Amino acid sequence: MTTHEYTAGTTPTPPLGVPSATAPQSPSAPQPSSVAQPSSAPRRPGRDRYLDLLRSIALVRVVVYHLFGWAWLTVLFPSMGVMFALAGSLMARSLSRPAWGVIRGRVRRLLPPLWAFSAVALALMFAGGWNPVKDPDHGGTWGVVELINYIIPIGAPPFPWHIGSKSGLLEDTWAVQATGPLWYLRAYLWFVVASPLLLWAFRRVPWATLLAPLALTAVVGTGLVTIPGETGNAVSDFAVFGGCWVLGFAHHEGMLAKVPRYIAISSSTLLMAFGLWWASGHLGPDGWDLNDIPLAQATWSFGFVVILLQYSPSWQELPGRLAKWDKLVTLSNNRAVTIYLWHNMLIMATVPIIDQAYNLSFMQSDRAVAALDTTYMLWMFVLVWPLIGLTIAAFGWIEDIAAKRSPRLWPNGVRGKGRGRSARATGAHRG
């Protein structure tokens, strides 16, 4: 089991929020020179579609990674670092309001989707014969106490490492895989609770606060200091992705914009090069999977996020050919928590569905069976997306209830003629 993404791996949640655009725009028409006019006017409040697009890409990458297990995807696009940075930026914006109210709102929006997932997952585990009291891996009665983490993710939830049989409908490790993404909710909750203090420190000593998580990762993520058990995993997650979370603060506060781009890009490139160099000497069982190499994950993700945010164009509309993805980007941002929570379970659900194809009359030849065997993973990839769509329709509305909105079946930004833009601009906020 990898430390992360199994495991982001981020609505994804998850890492879960994306800040809205605040940049000014030019006046729509020239004014007479004799009349004093402001050089710019405030933009209409709305979503920053560039950041929305990044979050959608991060979610898709997480699903693909968990399906195919390609280690190089953690280098190509460090989804979890991106998701934590976007969430940190939104958190900084929200903390213009009283901190307790912001934390309470974040927790309220996180928990009901978790409860729905936990109810289904635990029902399946209990139906499969799992008894946490008798599970030797979770300390007997203490395993029952740990069930609280399915309600409030302050730690690691218990689960059976093997349940059912290898020849059953699902492989016997399905519970491990289904609950894997819950680490992200734990880390997100820790960051939310710590954010008032982190933002206070950032505004007073910005560079020290920004770089402190990397220093902490060098201590707890390299074996220099070892913290045993799930406490160690939680501290490691907090350190590895803390820099990205604080980068979200820096983006919102305008600190990154003040750093000359050539300095930011060159420094980030050197940091990422160090991450790859460190990874090359500390490869885990899955090779270049950065989830197994905390210091490489932290430095690579940090530099990658700096570059993405340095080039942030703050779109209010997706430009050019990207516009055709507008509805899907809006939908994925509105349902990021649902997608992130359920995607691993849905990946596993594709297996018994595809296996039914072997029973079809035209699939009885060796050639047909070999063809399906060869393309099996591709069919899983094709099938998981409609399953995600069905899950969005079945459980996604819980995110609306948690946010005190009217429940919506398919929130892709279209609410009728003339209302799509407004729906997209306000529908996906978590704060």
Side-chain angles (χ1 to χ4, degrees):
M1 176 177 176
T2 58
T3 304
H4 309 300
E5 273 196 288
Y6 178 86
T7 236
T10 316
T11 138
T13 260
L16 288 172
V18 182
S20 60
T22 56
Q25 64 180 2
S26 300
S28 58
Q31 303 294 329
S33 59
S34 60
V35 181
Q37 297 290 338
S39 60
S40 62
R43 277 185 173 179
R44 174 180 54 79
R47 301 288 299 186
D48 186 328
R49 300 300 282 168
Y50 172 73
L51 300 185
D52 283 351
L53 178 64
L54 289 182
R55 186 161 136 194
S56 297
I57 294 172
L59 285 169
V60 171
R61 209 282 284 148
V62 167
V63 174
V64 174
Y65 168 82
H66 285 154
L67 175 58
F68 293 101
W70 293 330
W72 53 267
L73 285 174
T74 63
V75 177
L76 178 66
F77 194 89
S79 286
M80 307 320 296
V82 172
M83 292 171 70
F84 278 118
L86 302 183
S89 184
L90 179 56
M91 191 68 187
R93 188 192 70 173
S94 297
L95 283 173
S96 60
R97 308 193 301 272
W100 171 245
V102 173
I103 293 174
R104 184 176 57 189
R106 285 292 188 280
V107 173
R108 186 192 69 238
R109 296 183 181 205
L110 180 69
L111 296 185
L114 170 64
W115 295 340
F117 172 83
S118 297
V120 173
L122 287 173
L124 291 174
M125 292 180 204
F126 294 149
W130 179 56
N131 185 342
V133 176
K134 298 179 179 180
D135 190 334
D137 294 324
H138 297 283
T141 304
W142 183 246
V144 177
V145 177
E146 289 181 326
L147 289 174
I148 191 66
N149 290 303
Y150 283 102
I151 302 174
I152 304 175
I154 55 177
F159 50 81
W161 285 95
H162 298 279
I163 186 169
S165 65
K166 293 183 178 180
S167 60
L169 191 64
L170 295 174
E171 60 181 276
D172 64 345
T173 59
W174 71 264
V176 180
Q177 299 179 56
T179 57
L182 296 185
W183 78 269
Y184 175 77
L185 274 68
R186 175 188 65 193
Y188 176 79
L189 183 62
W190 280 36
F191 280 127
V192 165
V193 173
S195 281
L197 178 60
L198 286 174
L199 187 58
W200 176 87
F202 175 78
R203 287 171 173 170
R204 284 156 180 78
V205 282
W207 286 106
T209 307
L210 187 62
L211 298 177
L214 294 179
L216 180 59
T217 304
V219 174
V220 301
T222 62
L224 187 63
V225 172
T226 302
I227 303 175
E230 284 299 329
T231 300
N233 290 335
V235 172
S236 180
D237 292 338
F238 191 88
V240 168
F241 297 107
C244 293
W245 187 273
V246 180
L247 273 176
F249 292 175
H251 176 259
H252 175 266
E253 299 284 297
M255 174 182 167
L256 289 181
K258 296 177 183 177
V259 179
R261 179 169 291 179
Y262 74 93
I263 294 179
I265 301 304
S266 58
S267 300
S268 297
T269 302
L270 289 174
L271 186 63
M272 295 166 70
F274 168 80
L276 292 183
W277 170 80
W278 181 265
S280 68
H282 299 81
L283 299 180
D286 296 317
W288 284 87
D289 193 326
L290 299 186
N291 293 312
D292 299 328
I293 316 170
L295 185 58
Q297 175 77 288
T299 52
W300 179 264
S301 297
F302 188 98
F304 198 96
V305 167
V306 168
I307 293 173
L308 287 179
L309 296 182
Q310 270 285 331
Y311 283 96
S312 176
S314 297
W315 296 323
Q316 285 196 313
E317 303 287 342
L318 292 177
R321 295 181 180 180
L322 291 175
K324 66 182 180 180
W325 300 101
D326 184 88
K327 294 178 182 178
L328 287 177
V329 169
T330 300
L331 178 66
S332 64
N333 276 265
N334 275 311
R335 294 294 181 256
V337 180
T338 300
I339 294 170
Y340 187 81
L341 276 173
W342 290 90
H343 75 275
N344 255 9
M345 188 177 291
L346 298 176
I347 288 173
M348 290 181 289
T350 64
V351 174
I353 296 174
I354 297 173
D355 282 350
Q356 297 304 310
Y358 289 105
N359 298 324
L360 298 174
S361 58
F362 59 84
M363 288 293 299
Q364 302 310 305
S365 67
D366 292 341
R367 183 176 181 181
V369 170
L372 183 55
D373 288 344
T374 303
T375 60
Y376 200 99
M377 297 296 293
L378 178 61
W379 286 111
M380 291 178 67
F381 175 77
V382 171
L383 185 57
V384 73
W385 301 109
L387 291 181
I388 288 174
L390 289 173
T391 303
I392 287 173
F395 296 101
W397 55 270
I398 298 174
E399 292 194 53
D400 293 325
I401 299 297
K404 296 185 177 181
R405 292 190 299 255
S406 298
R408 297 165 296 170
L409 186 66
W410 197 254
N412 63 353
V414 178
R415 292 187 180 179
K417 187 175 182 181
R419 299 179 63 189
R421 180 176 298 177
S422 175
R424 182 182 61 249
T426 62
H429 287 291
R430 290 188 51 81

